[in-house]
Amino acid sequence: MGRSWWGWGNDEDALAGPELTALTDRVAGLLPGADLTDHEPPKVADLGLRPPRVRPPNSLAGLCSADPADRAAHAHGKAFRDVVRNLRGELAHVPDVIARPRTEQDVVDLLDWCTTAGVAAIPFGGGSSVVGGVEPRFEGPAVTIDLGGLDQVVEIDRTSRAARIQAGVFGPHLEDQLRPHGLSLRHFPQSFEFSTLGGWLATRAGGHYATLHTHIDDLVESTRVITPSGVSESRRLPGSGAGPSPDRLFLGSEGTLGIITEAWMRLQDRPTHRANASLNFADYASAVAATRAVAQSGLHPANCRLLDPAEAFLNAGVTTGGGVLVLGFESADHPVDSALARAVEICQDHGGEVSEGGKNPSAHWRGSFLRMPYQRDALARRSMIVETFETACTWDRFDSLHAAVTTAATDAIRQIAGVGLVTCRFTHVYPDGPAPYFGVYAPGTWGQTVAQWDEIKTAVSDALAANGGTITHHHAVGRDHRPWYDRQRPDPFAAALTAAKSTLDPAGILNPGVLI
Amino acid sequence: MGRSWWGWGNDEDALAGPELTALTDRVAGLLPGADLTDHEPPKVADLGLRPPRVRPPNSLAGLCSADPADRAAHAHGKAFRDVVRNLRGELAHVPDVIARPRTEQDVVDLLDWCTTAGVAAIPFGGGSSVVGGVEPRFEGPAVTIDLGGLDQVVEIDRTSRAARIQAGVFGPHLEDQLRPHGLSLRHFPQSFEFSTLGGWLATRAGGHYATLHTHIDDLVESTRVITPSGVSESRRLPGSGAGPSPDRLFLGSEGTLGIITEAWMRLQDRPTHRANASLNFADYASAVAATRAVAQSGLHPANCRLLDPAEAFLNAGVTTGGGVLVLGFESADHPVDSALARAVEICQDHGGEVSEGGKNPSAHWRGSFLRMPYQRDALARRSMIVETFETACTWDRFDSLHAAVTTAATDAIRQIAGVGLVTCRFTHVYPDGPAPYFGVYAPGTWGQTVAQWDEIKTAVSDALAANGGTITHHHAVGRDHRPWYDRQRPDPFAAALTAAKSTLDPAGILNPGVLI
């Protein structure tokens, strides 16, 4: 299979045939008059990439590539603005060298070279960043260190249900290696097929569980990180209170403090008991109240996704006045029917009605979930602005945040595109608040859709900040969220993080422009 | 009520009358020939404390005390070695001034004074540290900043179930303020009555829940910290992935980076459903296997304490070959009988037998739990070595760790005291490992029991380190665990933490000797 250099996933999985026709017909029906002309991606040979400005030393040359297709494929992440810039051949910043370490010593040697030569080093997992996390958006040469060669489950401790895993492994290959042992990491972000363990750790990715262990953070037993100042390896522990957690400094460090090469991860037995239900609501406020009650019940559903009416219609084909709550419970130990029954009862107390027969939104949701990025690409080629952004806030602030963000997005869309749609779903919920995930769909103008999206993004990010939301719940900060992140984090913490960075990466080579 | 300056808790709650007689008789029966002469604490006036070496500026004098009893009561924590040194009048390091801020601005002003004057500042909550965390064990003057005046629940968000709480509040007063709202923090460490929210946060205290949210860390929504370089306040969020967590840097910082003055904490509804059981085991290996299976079941018991046979006999009055597992489930939302039934079934599969009638170890345990420190003090006055230490390790290492630690302790006791007892219970359990808590009981020699304990502590701490345990799961590092902590934490992390400290506390006044 061939990975797409310009868009999501694999070339051969891109929308085509009836699936593509159905989508474009649907959009054309919703947006009469929109210019949906297809714009094909350029050929890499036509990109006119500037020649590499650095050459690796002979000792590392065997790990390194300066192939234009390789460099182009590592220049951007996979956000809407990345894909569109690729489609338009606008690759202003491209790494000079792609290095593929085969051993941890290779990583050490590569960082040594970069430190000595003063070359920026960008750690790269699956490259699925949607926040500009892997883009060398700075002057000066850059080496992108692609960890895909470090992809092994090295050791399994069945007793403690944990495994030592190399950071460059992609989701499916990781699960393939765990399956014979009856174990699973059960970390399934939307990017699962095209992202790596190291990427999940460096960005504090959000995964499978809608409640409880929502971020990968909680699944980490210990980490091993190569910094320019030495190797930081924490002790494998189920829990500890010995000073601030070393792991928590590197989790979310987005490649600025070191390169994670291995981690001991906590695993799960594969579930044998499952129970699912979907509930339709007549009004959104009741749906939110029901979701909050479930989140505060201590039932810990594995899935608890509230789709607003637009989201439910677009992605699950269900028409409701107030949206659909998709609930799922699972266990490897005991039946979960009574937990589901109680959650359903809570929802019914808030006016929810169990969705009977017809399309199962739960199953339908899962299928469309993994196709979404491919649909996004098909629409991006046709001048559509299609992007998502996500946050989290406490429950007391959700109504005002939701209203403000929706208004900000809608106003921006109206000015830019005239018409469009803003949707909201919860990807994760906590006892003290939800993690809302917004979608924006609007007809743009070819050649301007990046600037148009950036304008919308500024409006919604300002609204998030003004209403107590985080600039990111699980997409990380990267370069795109930086202005709002700088306002969000406490100044003394920023100073402490900068001091830590200066100590661990004195030459400042690691992922410049991100976080610090 | 009068707080004891030398020992645990309140003077009037110390063991006396029949309770004292019963304990000493029991010990005398177990240790015939041991010298159990009672040694009364000295009077503060006889301690001969050196006069304060610093005086606060006039603007702060109203917050400050140089009263000898006050200074003596703030000199040590409440470890065995602290209590015995108090009993012997050995107060080598006593704070010069006790400051009691009434407002956050007072905290700022006190840190400004200490920074300018180059005086060490020791943050002090309840003073229940058992690791030397509040002792000015260094040369040079010290101001102890006692936060007891900042004890209010300032704001409650019932919708999100969270409250903004001042750091100096003690456990009971905190719960008193939450009870009218039907809410609870449900953080009940053994020190609950005599420790504060700020202390729990600064030391990553372990609380009520034996599984899942074991440390206070998970209950934190945001923190407000006064550092010498400014105020660090994180945004209230139910979850976030925006860079490394600012809160996690301050959690466990043990007063070295700043003084926590407030936190937004996640609260619980008060439980209305409860179910408890105790299971007796014929052999310890089966009991451990059963506990592991329960920990890995996803049932999340609130209580899951495995007492080894000695612990079960001493503290629950139950004779078994393999120990007792105390299980408890609770919920504010739904019945928990089926969860308990499944946990019991798991235990029965491992040979556990439900304890019927007679003493209920679960209830008995709870009662004796809070009396333990008072019993410790009564025995410390009678030359007994009575101390605990705790750790956590992965399940695969537990057998060897348990054997090595027990052997190390037993050998040390044999050389020092001839006879003695080593017990073990689990305070918390995780899917990937237990948090074992050991007790040591041995007859010592008056005037030497601190040195004798220190010798035992060195032996067991070395054994912990050699067998993959953490030097502390929930007691913090303080000054007593420092040598093993330094070996445990990764060097690059130590360097990063030191750099953060230099930035936040450039004069190095905050709790010198702890962590950094």
Short mmCIF file of all heavy atoms in Angstrom, two decimals, chain B residues 80 383-385 412-413 415-417 440 442-458:
data_model
loop_
_atom_site.label_atom_id
_atom_site.label_comp_id
_atom_site.label_asym_id
_atom_site.label_seq_id
_atom_site.Cartn_x
_atom_site.Cartn_y
_atom_site.Cartn_z
N PHE B 80 8.33 8.08 63.31
CA PHE B 80 8.85 7.47 64.53
C PHE B 80 10.10 8.20 65.00
O PHE B 80 10.24 8.56 66.17
CB PHE B 80 9.15 5.99 64.27
CG PHE B 80 9.93 5.32 65.37
CD1 PHE B 80 9.30 4.95 66.56
CD2 PHE B 80 11.29 5.05 65.22
CE1 PHE B 80 10.02 4.33 67.57
CE2 PHE B 80 12.01 4.43 66.23
CZ PHE B 80 11.38 4.07 67.41
N SER B 383 10.45 2.43 74.42
CA SER B 383 11.65 1.89 73.76
C SER B 383 11.38 0.94 72.60
O SER B 383 12.30 0.28 72.11
CB SER B 383 12.57 1.17 74.76
OG SER B 383 12.91 2.01 75.83
N MET B 384 10.11 0.85 72.19
CA MET B 384 9.84 -0.01 71.04
C MET B 384 10.19 0.72 69.75
O MET B 384 10.02 1.93 69.63
CB MET B 384 8.35 -0.40 71.01
CG MET B 384 7.92 -1.35 72.11
SD MET B 384 8.52 -3.04 71.78
CE MET B 384 7.54 -3.46 70.32
N ILE B 385 10.67 -0.06 68.79
CA ILE B 385 10.84 0.45 67.43
C ILE B 385 9.56 0.09 66.67
O ILE B 385 9.25 -1.10 66.49
CB ILE B 385 12.06 -0.20 66.75
CG1 ILE B 385 13.33 0.08 67.56
CG2 ILE B 385 12.20 0.29 65.32
CD1 ILE B 385 14.51 -0.79 67.17
N ALA B 412 17.94 -7.31 59.90
CA ALA B 412 18.35 -6.10 60.62
C ALA B 412 17.79 -6.11 62.03
O ALA B 412 18.49 -5.79 63.00
CB ALA B 412 17.88 -4.85 59.86
N ILE B 413 16.52 -6.52 62.15
CA ILE B 413 15.91 -6.59 63.48
C ILE B 413 16.64 -7.59 64.36
O ILE B 413 16.89 -7.34 65.54
CB ILE B 413 14.41 -6.97 63.36
CG1 ILE B 413 13.63 -5.80 62.75
CG2 ILE B 413 13.84 -7.37 64.70
CD1 ILE B 413 12.20 -6.15 62.37
N GLN B 415 19.71 -8.56 64.31
CA GLN B 415 21.00 -8.02 64.78
C GLN B 415 20.81 -6.94 65.83
O GLN B 415 21.59 -6.82 66.77
CB GLN B 415 21.78 -7.43 63.60
CG GLN B 415 22.33 -8.49 62.66
CD GLN B 415 23.25 -7.89 61.60
OE1 GLN B 415 23.61 -6.72 61.70
NE2 GLN B 415 23.64 -8.68 60.64
N ILE B 416 19.77 -6.14 65.64
CA ILE B 416 19.59 -4.98 66.50
C ILE B 416 18.84 -5.33 67.78
O ILE B 416 19.19 -4.88 68.86
CB ILE B 416 18.82 -3.89 65.73
CG1 ILE B 416 19.73 -3.31 64.65
CG2 ILE B 416 18.30 -2.79 66.65
CD1 ILE B 416 18.99 -2.57 63.56
N ALA B 417 17.79 -6.12 67.61
CA ALA B 417 16.86 -6.30 68.73
C ALA B 417 16.65 -7.76 69.11
O ALA B 417 16.01 -8.04 70.11
CB ALA B 417 15.51 -5.68 68.37
N VAL B 440 7.07 -2.49 61.01
CA VAL B 440 8.18 -3.10 61.75
C VAL B 440 7.94 -2.87 63.24
O VAL B 440 7.66 -1.75 63.66
CB VAL B 440 9.52 -2.47 61.34
CG1 VAL B 440 10.64 -2.90 62.26
CG2 VAL B 440 9.84 -2.79 59.90
N ALA B 442 9.73 -3.93 66.97
CA ALA B 442 10.84 -4.61 67.65
C ALA B 442 11.18 -3.86 68.94
O ALA B 442 11.00 -2.63 69.01
CB ALA B 442 12.06 -4.66 66.74
N PRO B 443 11.64 -4.59 69.93
CA PRO B 443 12.07 -3.92 71.16
C PRO B 443 13.43 -3.27 70.94
O PRO B 443 14.37 -3.92 70.49
CB PRO B 443 12.15 -5.07 72.17
CG PRO B 443 12.42 -6.29 71.34
CD PRO B 443 11.82 -6.04 69.98
N GLY B 444 13.53 -1.99 71.22
CA GLY B 444 14.79 -1.28 71.04
C GLY B 444 15.45 -0.96 72.37
O GLY B 444 15.05 -1.45 73.42
N THR B 445 16.46 -0.14 72.28
CA THR B 445 17.19 0.25 73.48
C THR B 445 17.02 1.75 73.64
O THR B 445 17.34 2.52 72.72
CB THR B 445 18.70 -0.06 73.30
OG1 THR B 445 18.82 -1.42 72.90
CG2 THR B 445 19.46 0.19 74.60
N TRP B 446 16.49 2.16 74.76
CA TRP B 446 16.21 3.58 74.95
C TRP B 446 17.46 4.43 74.70
O TRP B 446 18.54 4.09 75.18
CB TRP B 446 15.65 3.87 76.35
CG TRP B 446 15.18 5.30 76.47
CD1 TRP B 446 15.70 6.29 77.23
CD2 TRP B 446 14.11 5.91 75.74
NE1 TRP B 446 15.04 7.48 77.04
CE2 TRP B 446 14.04 7.27 76.12
CE3 TRP B 446 13.19 5.43 74.79
CZ2 TRP B 446 13.10 8.16 75.61
CZ3 TRP B 446 12.26 6.32 74.28
CH2 TRP B 446 12.22 7.67 74.69
N GLY B 447 17.30 5.46 73.94
CA GLY B 447 18.44 6.31 73.59
C GLY B 447 19.09 5.89 72.29
O GLY B 447 19.88 6.64 71.71
N GLN B 448 18.72 4.70 71.81
CA GLN B 448 19.31 4.24 70.54
C GLN B 448 18.26 3.92 69.48
O GLN B 448 18.61 3.48 68.38
CB GLN B 448 20.16 2.98 70.80
CG GLN B 448 21.37 3.24 71.67
CD GLN B 448 22.15 1.97 71.96
OE1 GLN B 448 22.30 1.11 71.10
NE2 GLN B 448 22.62 1.85 73.19
N THR B 449 17.00 4.09 69.83
CA THR B 449 15.98 3.58 68.89
C THR B 449 15.96 4.32 67.55
O THR B 449 15.61 3.73 66.53
CB THR B 449 14.56 3.58 69.52
OG1 THR B 449 14.26 4.89 70.02
CG2 THR B 449 14.47 2.57 70.64
N VAL B 450 16.35 5.59 67.54
CA VAL B 450 16.40 6.30 66.25
C VAL B 450 17.49 5.70 65.37
O VAL B 450 17.26 5.37 64.19
CB VAL B 450 16.62 7.81 66.44
CG1 VAL B 450 16.95 8.48 65.12
CG2 VAL B 450 15.38 8.45 67.06
N ALA B 451 18.68 5.53 65.94
CA ALA B 451 19.78 4.94 65.18
C ALA B 451 19.44 3.51 64.77
O ALA B 451 19.76 3.07 63.65
CB ALA B 451 21.06 4.96 65.99
N GLN B 452 18.77 2.79 65.66
CA GLN B 452 18.38 1.41 65.35
C GLN B 452 17.39 1.39 64.18
O GLN B 452 17.52 0.58 63.25
CB GLN B 452 17.78 0.74 66.59
CG GLN B 452 18.85 0.44 67.66
CD GLN B 452 18.26 -0.06 68.97
OE1 GLN B 452 17.14 0.29 69.34
NE2 GLN B 452 19.05 -0.88 69.68
N TRP B 453 16.41 2.27 64.25
CA TRP B 453 15.46 2.33 63.13
C TRP B 453 16.16 2.74 61.84
O TRP B 453 15.92 2.17 60.76
CB TRP B 453 14.30 3.28 63.41
CG TRP B 453 13.60 3.66 62.14
CD1 TRP B 453 13.59 4.86 61.52
CD2 TRP B 453 12.89 2.76 61.28
NE1 TRP B 453 12.91 4.80 60.33
CE2 TRP B 453 12.47 3.51 60.15
CE3 TRP B 453 12.58 1.40 61.34
CZ2 TRP B 453 11.75 2.95 59.10
CZ3 TRP B 453 11.86 0.84 60.28
CH2 TRP B 453 11.46 1.61 59.18
N ASP B 454 17.05 3.73 61.93
CA ASP B 454 17.74 4.18 60.72
C ASP B 454 18.51 3.03 60.06
O ASP B 454 18.59 2.96 58.82
CB ASP B 454 18.70 5.34 61.05
CG ASP B 454 17.95 6.66 61.29
OD1 ASP B 454 16.73 6.72 61.01
OD2 ASP B 454 18.58 7.62 61.77
N GLU B 455 19.04 2.16 60.88
CA GLU B 455 19.78 1.01 60.33
C GLU B 455 18.82 0.06 59.60
O GLU B 455 19.11 -0.41 58.50
CB GLU B 455 20.45 0.27 61.50
CG GLU B 455 21.74 -0.42 61.12
CD GLU B 455 22.47 -0.89 62.38
OE1 GLU B 455 22.69 -0.06 63.31
OE2 GLU B 455 22.80 -2.08 62.44
N ILE B 456 17.67 -0.18 60.23
CA ILE B 456 16.67 -1.02 59.57
C ILE B 456 16.19 -0.36 58.28
O ILE B 456 16.08 -0.99 57.22
CB ILE B 456 15.46 -1.26 60.51
CG1 ILE B 456 15.91 -2.01 61.77
CG2 ILE B 456 14.35 -2.04 59.79
CD1 ILE B 456 14.87 -2.04 62.88
N LYS B 457 15.95 0.94 58.36
CA LYS B 457 15.45 1.67 57.19
C LYS B 457 16.42 1.58 56.02
O LYS B 457 16.00 1.41 54.87
CB LYS B 457 15.20 3.14 57.53
CG LYS B 457 14.71 3.91 56.30
CD LYS B 457 14.57 5.37 56.46
CE LYS B 457 14.39 6.03 55.10
NZ LYS B 457 13.54 5.30 54.14
N THR B 458 17.71 1.72 56.30
CA THR B 458 18.70 1.61 55.24
C THR B 458 18.64 0.24 54.58
O THR B 458 18.65 0.12 53.34
CB THR B 458 20.11 1.88 55.78
OG1 THR B 458 20.14 3.23 56.28
CG2 THR B 458 21.16 1.72 54.71
#
